[in-house]
Amino acid sequence: NIWKMAKLIITTSRCPSISLIRFTKSLSNVFPNSLKINRGIKFFSSLFSCCLIHKASDFIIVYEKRGKPLSLIISHLPNGPSVFFGLSNVVTRNNIDKFFLFSNPPHVLLVNLDSPISRRITKILSLLFPKPNQNSQRIVSFVGGKKKIIFSHHWFQIKGIKQKDILLKKLSPSFDMQPYKILLGTLFTKEKELEWIITPFINKKKKNF
């Protein structure tokens, strides 16, 4: 039963557009241990109850603006932390689901994420993925850049020992993540303690992620 297996629950803001539903469906393919919930008009309290009932270890919610994914929040259960990301350059492909197996956990690459905040964020991200087996042919990568983390998803096949013998194909989705806030609690915690935030007013120093 997929409900018993699920450890990560993915949902959207209320009354999502078709494009946001498509994006979260694509995002759920990244995580073999995830369950996508159709939000509809459910209240936030209903989502919390769902997480409790199915013993979810993490909760992801995606918001949109004018039909485009705008932000993504990852909340580690039951005690936090929660990390907030802005989203940009979102690409969702529709032609790959029939050809690739998503049930195996992917290999995870974390590149150029060496600052204290980056290490904190990578620790949160790494909790989302089970340990991959040797036969896994998927890679997800988080590459640090100026004020953003570039996320990509690939399938690979090794046919020989040379670099040209490695086949690599982009999978859906891909996007840029701009971290802007970390809370010590969960999204469902009444009193949330702020761990870190970056805004033009609070933190004027340029940071690399």
Side-chain angles (χ1 to χ4, degrees):
N1 189 321
I2 189 170
W3 287 93
K4 293 182 180 180
M5 294 171 57
K7 293 295 181 182
L8 192 159
I9 289 179
I10 299 174
T11 192
T12 66
S13 51
R14 297 177 72 184
C15 303
S17 66
I18 294 175
S19 61
L20 185 59
I21 292 172
R22 185 184 302 118
F23 173 71
T24 52
K25 180 180 178 181
S26 179
L27 189 64
S28 67
N29 285 334
V30 174
F31 307 100
N33 57 329
S34 68
L35 176 70
K36 184 177 74 70
I37 295 178
N38 294 324
R39 174 77 181 273
I41 58 173
K42 290 185 179 71
F43 290 103
F44 211 66
S45 58
S46 299
L47 299 176
F48 182 47
S49 299
C50 183
C51 290
L52 291 176
I53 291 170
H54 303 294
K55 298 180 180 179
S57 61
D58 293 273
F59 174 75
I60 294 178
I61 185 166
V62 186
Y63 292 90
E64 67 180 337
K65 182 177 182 180
R66 297 177 182 175
K68 294 183 178 181
L70 175 68
S71 62
L72 180 149
I73 306 170
I74 300 169
S75 192
H76 186 58
L77 306 175
N79 300 316
S82 301
V83 58
F84 294 64
F85 299 93
L87 296 179
S88 60
N89 299 323
V90 176
V91 177
T92 305
R93 300 171 183 84
N94 300 320
N95 60 347
I96 50 89
D97 292 358
K98 297 179 181 179
F99 306 105
F100 299 97
L101 181 66
F102 296 102
S103 58
N104 290 330
H107 301 279
V108 180
L109 297 180
L110 303 167
V111 181
N112 196 29
L113 294 164
D114 301 317
S115 71
I117 289 298
S118 296
R119 289 194 295 268
R120 176 65 165 144
I121 291 172
T122 56
K123 184 177 180 180
I124 298 169
L125 293 173
S126 63
L127 293 172
L128 303 177
F129 297 93
K131 184 178 179 180
N133 57 50
Q134 293 182 347
N135 298 324
S136 177
Q137 291 182 283
R138 288 196 298 131
I139 297 176
V140 297
S141 60
F142 297 89
V143 180
K146 188 176 181 180
K147 294 188 177 183
K148 66 181 178 181
I149 299 172
I150 302 169
F151 172 84
S152 58
H153 185 201
H154 289 86
W155 172 89
F156 71 94
Q157 185 177 25
I158 301 175
K159 291 191 172 184
I161 60 174
K162 297 181 180 180
Q163 186 174 357
K164 66 179 182 180
D165 296 325
I166 300 176
L167 301 179
L168 192 66
K169 184 175 179 61
K170 285 186 177 181
L171 300 181
S172 185
S174 62
F175 48 87
D176 294 348
M177 312 163 68
Q178 296 83 33
Y180 65 89
K181 184 167 63 174
I182 299 176
L183 299 178
L184 290 178
T186 73
L187 291 180
F188 309 109
T189 305
K190 289 184 178 180
E191 295 183 1
K192 305 175 181 66
E193 183 178 350
L194 181 66
E195 177 180 344
W196 173 82
I197 189 169
I198 182 169
T199 73
F201 304 102
I202 296 177
N203 194 334
K204 296 182 180 180
K205 293 181 180 180
K206 294 183 179 180
K207 290 181 177 290
N208 289 332
F209 299 97

Short mmCIF file of all heavy atoms in Angstrom, two decimals, residues 50-104:
data_model
loop_
_atom_site.label_atom_id
_atom_site.label_comp_id
_atom_site.label_asym_id
_atom_site.label_seq_id
_atom_site.Cartn_x
_atom_site.Cartn_y
_atom_site.Cartn_z
N CYS A 50 -3.06 14.50 8.00
CA CYS A 50 -2.61 13.52 7.02
C CYS A 50 -1.18 13.09 7.31
O CYS A 50 -0.85 11.90 7.26
CB CYS A 50 -2.73 14.09 5.61
SG CYS A 50 -2.30 12.95 4.30
N CYS A 51 -0.32 14.06 7.63
CA CYS A 51 1.07 13.75 7.95
C CYS A 51 1.18 12.87 9.18
O CYS A 51 1.98 11.94 9.23
CB CYS A 51 1.85 15.04 8.17
SG CYS A 51 2.12 16.03 6.69
N LEU A 52 0.34 13.14 10.19
CA LEU A 52 0.36 12.35 11.41
C LEU A 52 -0.12 10.93 11.17
O LEU A 52 0.49 9.96 11.62
CB LEU A 52 -0.50 13.02 12.49
CG LEU A 52 0.01 14.34 13.08
CD1 LEU A 52 -1.01 14.91 14.05
CD2 LEU A 52 1.34 14.12 13.77
N ILE A 53 -1.21 10.81 10.46
CA ILE A 53 -1.80 9.49 10.21
C ILE A 53 -0.83 8.59 9.47
O ILE A 53 -0.70 7.40 9.79
CB ILE A 53 -3.12 9.64 9.43
CG1 ILE A 53 -4.18 10.29 10.31
CG2 ILE A 53 -3.61 8.28 8.92
CD1 ILE A 53 -5.43 10.70 9.57
N HIS A 54 -0.13 9.14 8.48
CA HIS A 54 0.74 8.33 7.64
C HIS A 54 2.21 8.41 8.04
O HIS A 54 3.08 7.94 7.31
CB HIS A 54 0.55 8.74 6.18
CG HIS A 54 -0.87 8.61 5.73
ND1 HIS A 54 -1.50 7.39 5.64
CD2 HIS A 54 -1.78 9.54 5.38
CE1 HIS A 54 -2.75 7.58 5.24
NE2 HIS A 54 -2.95 8.87 5.07
N LYS A 55 2.47 8.99 9.23
CA LYS A 55 3.80 9.01 9.82
C LYS A 55 4.85 9.55 8.84
O LYS A 55 5.92 8.97 8.65
CB LYS A 55 4.19 7.60 10.28
CG LYS A 55 3.26 7.06 11.36
CD LYS A 55 3.67 5.66 11.81
CE LYS A 55 2.73 5.13 12.88
NZ LYS A 55 3.10 3.76 13.31
N ALA A 56 4.50 10.66 8.22
CA ALA A 56 5.42 11.28 7.26
C ALA A 56 6.62 11.87 7.99
O ALA A 56 6.50 12.42 9.08
CB ALA A 56 4.70 12.37 6.48
N SER A 57 7.78 11.74 7.36
CA SER A 57 9.01 12.30 7.94
C SER A 57 9.28 13.71 7.43
O SER A 57 10.01 14.47 8.06
CB SER A 57 10.20 11.40 7.63
OG SER A 57 10.39 11.30 6.23
N ASP A 58 8.68 14.05 6.27
CA ASP A 58 8.88 15.37 5.68
C ASP A 58 7.63 15.80 4.94
O ASP A 58 6.86 14.97 4.43
CB ASP A 58 10.07 15.36 4.72
CG ASP A 58 11.39 15.13 5.43
OD1 ASP A 58 11.98 16.12 5.89
OD2 ASP A 58 11.80 13.97 5.54
N PHE A 59 7.45 17.11 4.86
CA PHE A 59 6.29 17.69 4.21
C PHE A 59 6.78 18.78 3.26
O PHE A 59 7.57 19.65 3.65
CB PHE A 59 5.34 18.28 5.26
CG PHE A 59 4.17 19.03 4.71
CD1 PHE A 59 3.11 18.36 4.14
CD2 PHE A 59 4.14 20.42 4.78
CE1 PHE A 59 2.01 19.06 3.65
CE2 PHE A 59 3.05 21.13 4.29
CZ PHE A 59 1.98 20.44 3.72
N ILE A 60 6.33 18.72 2.01
CA ILE A 60 6.71 19.73 1.01
C ILE A 60 5.44 20.36 0.45
O ILE A 60 4.50 19.66 0.04
CB ILE A 60 7.51 19.11 -0.16
CG1 ILE A 60 8.86 18.58 0.34
CG2 ILE A 60 7.73 20.13 -1.28
CD1 ILE A 60 9.69 17.92 -0.74
N ILE A 61 5.41 21.69 0.43
CA ILE A 61 4.28 22.39 -0.16
C ILE A 61 4.80 23.42 -1.16
O ILE A 61 5.82 24.07 -0.92
CB ILE A 61 3.41 23.06 0.93
CG1 ILE A 61 2.16 23.69 0.30
CG2 ILE A 61 4.19 24.06 1.76
CD1 ILE A 61 1.10 24.07 1.32
N VAL A 62 4.12 23.51 -2.31
CA VAL A 62 4.54 24.40 -3.39
C VAL A 62 3.44 25.43 -3.63
O VAL A 62 2.26 25.09 -3.74
CB VAL A 62 4.81 23.62 -4.69
CG1 VAL A 62 5.38 24.56 -5.76
CG2 VAL A 62 5.77 22.46 -4.45
N TYR A 63 3.84 26.69 -3.71
CA TYR A 63 2.92 27.78 -3.99
C TYR A 63 3.17 28.33 -5.40
O TYR A 63 4.24 28.12 -5.97
CB TYR A 63 3.08 28.91 -2.96
CG TYR A 63 2.64 28.53 -1.58
CD1 TYR A 63 3.54 27.95 -0.67
CD2 TYR A 63 1.33 28.74 -1.16
CE1 TYR A 63 3.13 27.60 0.61
CE2 TYR A 63 0.91 28.39 0.12
CZ TYR A 63 1.82 27.82 0.99
OH TYR A 63 1.42 27.47 2.25
N GLU A 64 2.17 29.02 -5.92
CA GLU A 64 2.27 29.54 -7.29
C GLU A 64 1.80 30.99 -7.35
O GLU A 64 1.15 31.50 -6.44
CB GLU A 64 1.44 28.69 -8.25
CG GLU A 64 -0.05 28.77 -8.01
CD GLU A 64 -0.87 27.93 -8.96
OE1 GLU A 64 -0.38 27.61 -10.06
OE2 GLU A 64 -2.01 27.58 -8.60
N LYS A 65 2.14 31.63 -8.47
CA LYS A 65 1.63 32.96 -8.77
C LYS A 65 1.34 33.02 -10.26
O LYS A 65 2.22 32.76 -11.08
CB LYS A 65 2.65 34.04 -8.39
CG LYS A 65 2.16 35.47 -8.63
CD LYS A 65 3.18 36.49 -8.17
CE LYS A 65 2.66 37.91 -8.38
NZ LYS A 65 3.65 38.92 -7.92
N ARG A 66 0.10 33.30 -10.59
CA ARG A 66 -0.35 33.39 -11.98
C ARG A 66 0.00 32.12 -12.77
O ARG A 66 0.46 32.17 -13.90
CB ARG A 66 0.25 34.61 -12.67
CG ARG A 66 -0.18 35.93 -12.03
CD ARG A 66 0.50 37.12 -12.69
NE ARG A 66 0.11 38.36 -12.04
CZ ARG A 66 0.62 39.56 -12.34
NH1 ARG A 66 1.57 39.65 -13.27
NH2 ARG A 66 0.22 40.63 -11.70
N GLY A 67 -0.21 30.98 -12.12
CA GLY A 67 -0.03 29.70 -12.80
C GLY A 67 1.40 29.20 -12.87
O GLY A 67 1.66 28.17 -13.48
N LYS A 68 2.35 29.92 -12.24
CA LYS A 68 3.75 29.50 -12.26
C LYS A 68 4.22 29.18 -10.84
O LYS A 68 3.93 29.95 -9.91
CB LYS A 68 4.63 30.60 -12.85
CG LYS A 68 4.38 30.87 -14.32
CD LYS A 68 5.35 31.92 -14.86
CE LYS A 68 5.13 32.18 -16.35
NZ LYS A 68 6.08 33.18 -16.89
N PRO A 69 4.93 28.05 -10.65
CA PRO A 69 5.46 27.75 -9.33
C PRO A 69 6.32 28.91 -8.81
O PRO A 69 7.22 29.37 -9.49
CB PRO A 69 6.30 26.49 -9.57
CG PRO A 69 5.70 25.86 -10.78
CD PRO A 69 5.26 27.00 -11.64
N LEU A 70 6.01 29.36 -7.61
CA LEU A 70 6.66 30.56 -7.06
C LEU A 70 7.60 30.23 -5.90
O LEU A 70 8.70 30.79 -5.80
CB LEU A 70 5.60 31.54 -6.59
CG LEU A 70 6.09 32.81 -5.88
CD1 LEU A 70 6.82 33.71 -6.87
CD2 LEU A 70 4.91 33.55 -5.24
N SER A 71 7.17 29.33 -5.01
CA SER A 71 7.98 29.03 -3.85
C SER A 71 7.73 27.59 -3.39
O SER A 71 6.69 26.99 -3.71
CB SER A 71 7.69 30.00 -2.70
OG SER A 71 6.33 29.89 -2.29
N LEU A 72 8.70 27.07 -2.64
CA LEU A 72 8.65 25.69 -2.15
C LEU A 72 9.16 25.68 -0.71
O LEU A 72 10.16 26.32 -0.40
CB LEU A 72 9.51 24.79 -3.04
CG LEU A 72 9.61 23.31 -2.74
CD1 LEU A 72 9.83 22.51 -4.03
CD2 LEU A 72 10.79 23.03 -1.78
N ILE A 73 8.42 24.98 0.14
CA ILE A 73 8.80 24.90 1.55
C ILE A 73 8.97 23.43 1.92
O ILE A 73 8.11 22.59 1.62
CB ILE A 73 7.74 25.54 2.47
CG1 ILE A 73 7.46 26.97 2.04
CG2 ILE A 73 8.21 25.49 3.92
CD1 ILE A 73 6.27 27.59 2.73
N ILE A 74 10.09 23.12 2.56
CA ILE A 74 10.36 21.77 3.06
C ILE A 74 10.33 21.82 4.58
O ILE A 74 11.06 22.61 5.19
CB ILE A 74 11.73 21.25 2.59
CG1 ILE A 74 11.79 21.20 1.06
CG2 ILE A 74 12.02 19.87 3.18
CD1 ILE A 74 13.19 20.95 0.52
N SER A 75 9.49 21.00 5.19
CA SER A 75 9.36 20.98 6.64
C SER A 75 9.66 19.57 7.13
O SER A 75 8.98 18.61 6.75
CB SER A 75 7.95 21.42 7.05
OG SER A 75 7.87 21.66 8.43
N HIS A 76 10.69 19.45 7.96
CA HIS A 76 11.09 18.14 8.48
C HIS A 76 10.28 17.85 9.74
O HIS A 76 10.22 18.68 10.67
CB HIS A 76 12.58 18.13 8.79
CG HIS A 76 13.11 16.81 9.21
ND1 HIS A 76 13.01 15.69 8.42
CD2 HIS A 76 13.73 16.41 10.36
CE1 HIS A 76 13.55 14.65 9.04
NE2 HIS A 76 14.00 15.06 10.23
N LEU A 77 9.63 16.69 9.78
CA LEU A 77 8.74 16.33 10.87
C LEU A 77 9.42 15.35 11.83
O LEU A 77 10.29 14.57 11.40
CB LEU A 77 7.46 15.72 10.30
CG LEU A 77 6.72 16.58 9.25
CD1 LEU A 77 5.55 15.80 8.67
CD2 LEU A 77 6.27 17.90 9.85
N PRO A 78 9.09 15.38 13.11
CA PRO A 78 8.01 16.16 13.74
C PRO A 78 8.45 17.49 14.35
O PRO A 78 7.60 18.25 14.80
CB PRO A 78 7.54 15.21 14.84
CG PRO A 78 8.80 14.54 15.30
CD PRO A 78 9.63 14.34 14.03
N ASN A 79 9.75 17.79 14.37
CA ASN A 79 10.24 18.94 15.14
C ASN A 79 10.89 20.03 14.30
O ASN A 79 11.38 21.02 14.85
CB ASN A 79 11.24 18.46 16.20
CG ASN A 79 10.63 17.49 17.18
OD1 ASN A 79 9.51 17.70 17.66
ND2 ASN A 79 11.34 16.41 17.48
N GLY A 80 10.96 19.86 12.99
CA GLY A 80 11.64 20.84 12.16
C GLY A 80 13.06 20.42 11.86
O GLY A 80 13.48 19.31 12.23
N PRO A 81 13.80 21.25 11.15
CA PRO A 81 13.49 22.62 10.75
C PRO A 81 12.66 22.69 9.48
O PRO A 81 12.34 21.66 8.88
CB PRO A 81 14.89 23.22 10.51
CG PRO A 81 15.67 22.03 10.00
CD PRO A 81 15.17 20.86 10.76
N SER A 82 12.36 23.92 9.08
CA SER A 82 11.65 24.18 7.82
C SER A 82 12.47 25.19 7.02
O SER A 82 12.92 26.20 7.56
CB SER A 82 10.25 24.75 8.07
OG SER A 82 9.47 23.85 8.84
N VAL A 83 12.66 24.91 5.74
CA VAL A 83 13.45 25.80 4.88
C VAL A 83 12.57 26.29 3.73
O VAL A 83 11.81 25.52 3.15
CB VAL A 83 14.74 25.12 4.37
CG1 VAL A 83 14.43 23.86 3.60
CG2 VAL A 83 15.58 26.08 3.54
N PHE A 84 12.67 27.58 3.43
CA PHE A 84 11.84 28.24 2.43
C PHE A 84 12.70 28.60 1.22
O PHE A 84 13.78 29.17 1.36
CB PHE A 84 11.23 29.51 2.99
CG PHE A 84 10.24 29.30 4.12
CD1 PHE A 84 10.64 28.74 5.32
CD2 PHE A 84 8.91 29.66 3.96
CE1 PHE A 84 9.74 28.55 6.36
CE2 PHE A 84 8.00 29.48 4.99
CZ PHE A 84 8.40 28.91 6.19
N PHE A 85 12.17 28.30 0.03
CA PHE A 85 12.88 28.60 -1.21
C PHE A 85 11.96 29.36 -2.16
O PHE A 85 10.78 29.03 -2.30
CB PHE A 85 13.30 27.32 -1.95
CG PHE A 85 14.23 26.42 -1.19
CD1 PHE A 85 13.74 25.38 -0.42
CD2 PHE A 85 15.61 26.60 -1.27
CE1 PHE A 85 14.60 24.53 0.27
CE2 PHE A 85 16.47 25.76 -0.58
CZ PHE A 85 15.96 24.73 0.18
N GLY A 86 12.51 30.36 -2.85
CA GLY A 86 11.86 30.88 -4.04
C GLY A 86 12.22 29.99 -5.22
O GLY A 86 13.27 29.36 -5.22
N LEU A 87 11.35 29.93 -6.22
CA LEU A 87 11.59 29.10 -7.40
C LEU A 87 11.64 29.96 -8.65
O LEU A 87 10.89 30.94 -8.79
CB LEU A 87 10.48 28.05 -7.57
CG LEU A 87 10.33 26.99 -6.48
CD1 LEU A 87 9.16 26.06 -6.80
CD2 LEU A 87 11.61 26.18 -6.30
N SER A 88 12.53 29.60 -9.57
CA SER A 88 12.61 30.27 -10.87
C SER A 88 13.14 29.29 -11.90
O SER A 88 13.63 28.21 -11.56
CB SER A 88 13.52 31.51 -10.78
OG SER A 88 14.83 31.14 -10.40
N ASN A 89 13.01 29.66 -13.16
CA ASN A 89 13.49 28.83 -14.28
C ASN A 89 12.96 27.39 -14.19
O ASN A 89 13.70 26.43 -14.43
CB ASN A 89 15.02 28.82 -14.33
CG ASN A 89 15.60 30.20 -14.56
OD1 ASN A 89 15.04 31.01 -15.30
ND2 ASN A 89 16.72 30.49 -13.91
N VAL A 90 11.70 27.26 -13.86
CA VAL A 90 11.10 25.93 -13.70
C VAL A 90 10.81 25.33 -15.07
O VAL A 90 10.18 25.95 -15.92
CB VAL A 90 9.80 26.02 -12.87
CG1 VAL A 90 9.12 24.64 -12.80
CG2 VAL A 90 10.09 26.55 -11.48
N VAL A 91 11.29 24.10 -15.27
CA VAL A 91 11.04 23.38 -16.51
C VAL A 91 10.42 22.02 -16.15
O VAL A 91 10.98 21.26 -15.37
CB VAL A 91 12.33 23.15 -17.33
CG1 VAL A 91 12.03 22.32 -18.58
CG2 VAL A 91 12.96 24.49 -17.71
N THR A 92 9.23 21.76 -16.71
CA THR A 92 8.56 20.48 -16.51
C THR A 92 8.36 19.83 -17.86
O THR A 92 7.78 20.42 -18.76
CB THR A 92 7.20 20.68 -15.83
OG1 THR A 92 7.37 21.40 -14.61
CG2 THR A 92 6.55 19.34 -15.52
N ARG A 93 8.87 18.62 -17.99
CA ARG A 93 8.74 17.90 -19.25
C ARG A 93 7.64 16.86 -19.13
O ARG A 93 7.48 16.23 -18.09
CB ARG A 93 10.08 17.24 -19.61
CG ARG A 93 11.22 18.23 -19.78
CD ARG A 93 12.57 17.56 -19.92
NE ARG A 93 13.65 18.54 -20.02
CZ ARG A 93 14.22 19.11 -18.97
NH1 ARG A 93 13.83 18.79 -17.74
NH2 ARG A 93 15.17 20.00 -19.13
N ASN A 94 6.92 16.63 -20.22
CA ASN A 94 5.76 15.74 -20.17
C ASN A 94 5.98 14.40 -20.85
O ASN A 94 5.10 13.56 -20.85
CB ASN A 94 4.57 16.43 -20.85
CG ASN A 94 4.19 17.72 -20.17
OD1 ASN A 94 4.19 17.81 -18.94
ND2 ASN A 94 3.86 18.74 -20.96
N ASN A 95 7.15 14.18 -21.41
CA ASN A 95 7.32 13.02 -22.29
C ASN A 95 8.25 11.94 -21.74
O ASN A 95 8.77 11.13 -22.49
CB ASN A 95 7.86 13.48 -23.66
CG ASN A 95 9.20 14.17 -23.54
OD1 ASN A 95 9.62 14.52 -22.45
ND2 ASN A 95 9.86 14.35 -24.68
N ILE A 96 8.47 11.92 -20.44
CA ILE A 96 9.47 10.98 -19.93
C ILE A 96 8.90 9.93 -18.98
O ILE A 96 9.53 8.92 -18.73
CB ILE A 96 10.63 11.72 -19.25
CG1 ILE A 96 10.11 12.74 -18.23
CG2 ILE A 96 11.49 12.43 -20.25
CD1 ILE A 96 9.92 12.20 -16.87
N ASP A 97 7.70 10.13 -18.47
CA ASP A 97 7.19 9.24 -17.43
C ASP A 97 7.04 7.80 -17.90
O ASP A 97 7.15 6.86 -17.11
CB ASP A 97 5.83 9.74 -16.93
CG ASP A 97 5.96 11.05 -16.16
OD1 ASP A 97 7.10 11.53 -16.00
OD2 ASP A 97 4.94 11.58 -15.73
N LYS A 98 6.77 7.59 -19.17
CA LYS A 98 6.52 6.24 -19.67
C LYS A 98 7.80 5.44 -19.86
O LYS A 98 7.74 4.22 -19.98
CB LYS A 98 5.79 6.33 -21.02
CG LYS A 98 4.41 6.97 -20.93
CD LYS A 98 3.77 7.02 -22.30
CE LYS A 98 2.39 7.68 -22.23
NZ LYS A 98 1.76 7.75 -23.58
N PHE A 99 8.94 6.08 -19.85
CA PHE A 99 10.16 5.41 -20.27
C PHE A 99 11.18 5.18 -19.15
O PHE A 99 12.12 4.43 -19.34
CB PHE A 99 10.84 6.21 -21.39
CG PHE A 99 9.92 6.49 -22.55
CD1 PHE A 99 9.37 7.74 -22.74
CD2 PHE A 99 9.61 5.48 -23.44
CE1 PHE A 99 8.52 7.99 -23.80
CE2 PHE A 99 8.75 5.73 -24.51
CZ PHE A 99 8.21 6.98 -24.69
N PHE A 100 10.99 5.79 -18.00
CA PHE A 100 12.00 5.69 -16.95
C PHE A 100 11.39 5.22 -15.65
O PHE A 100 10.27 5.58 -15.30
CB PHE A 100 12.70 7.05 -16.76
CG PHE A 100 13.41 7.52 -18.00
CD1 PHE A 100 12.79 8.42 -18.85
CD2 PHE A 100 14.67 7.04 -18.31
CE1 PHE A 100 13.43 8.85 -20.00
CE2 PHE A 100 15.32 7.47 -19.45
CZ PHE A 100 14.70 8.36 -20.30
N LEU A 101 12.16 4.41 -14.94
CA LEU A 101 11.72 3.84 -13.67
C LEU A 101 12.11 4.78 -12.53
O LEU A 101 13.27 5.12 -12.35
CB LEU A 101 12.37 2.47 -13.46
CG LEU A 101 12.01 1.71 -12.20
CD1 LEU A 101 10.53 1.31 -12.24
CD2 LEU A 101 12.88 0.47 -12.06
N PHE A 102 11.11 5.21 -11.74
CA PHE A 102 11.36 6.16 -10.68
C PHE A 102 11.29 5.52 -9.29
O PHE A 102 11.38 6.22 -8.29
CB PHE A 102 10.34 7.31 -10.75
CG PHE A 102 10.46 8.12 -12.00
CD1 PHE A 102 9.57 7.95 -13.05
CD2 PHE A 102 11.46 9.07 -12.13
CE1 PHE A 102 9.68 8.70 -14.20
CE2 PHE A 102 11.58 9.83 -13.28
CZ PHE A 102 10.68 9.64 -14.32
N SER A 103 11.13 4.22 -9.23
CA SER A 103 10.94 3.57 -7.93
C SER A 103 12.23 3.44 -7.13
O SER A 103 12.19 3.28 -5.91
CB SER A 103 10.30 2.19 -8.12
OG SER A 103 11.12 1.38 -8.95
N ASN A 104 13.39 3.49 -7.81
CA ASN A 104 14.67 3.38 -7.11
C ASN A 104 15.15 4.75 -6.65
O ASN A 104 15.09 5.72 -7.40
CB ASN A 104 15.73 2.75 -8.01
CG ASN A 104 15.47 1.28 -8.27
OD1 ASN A 104 14.90 0.59 -7.43
ND2 ASN A 104 15.87 0.80 -9.43
#
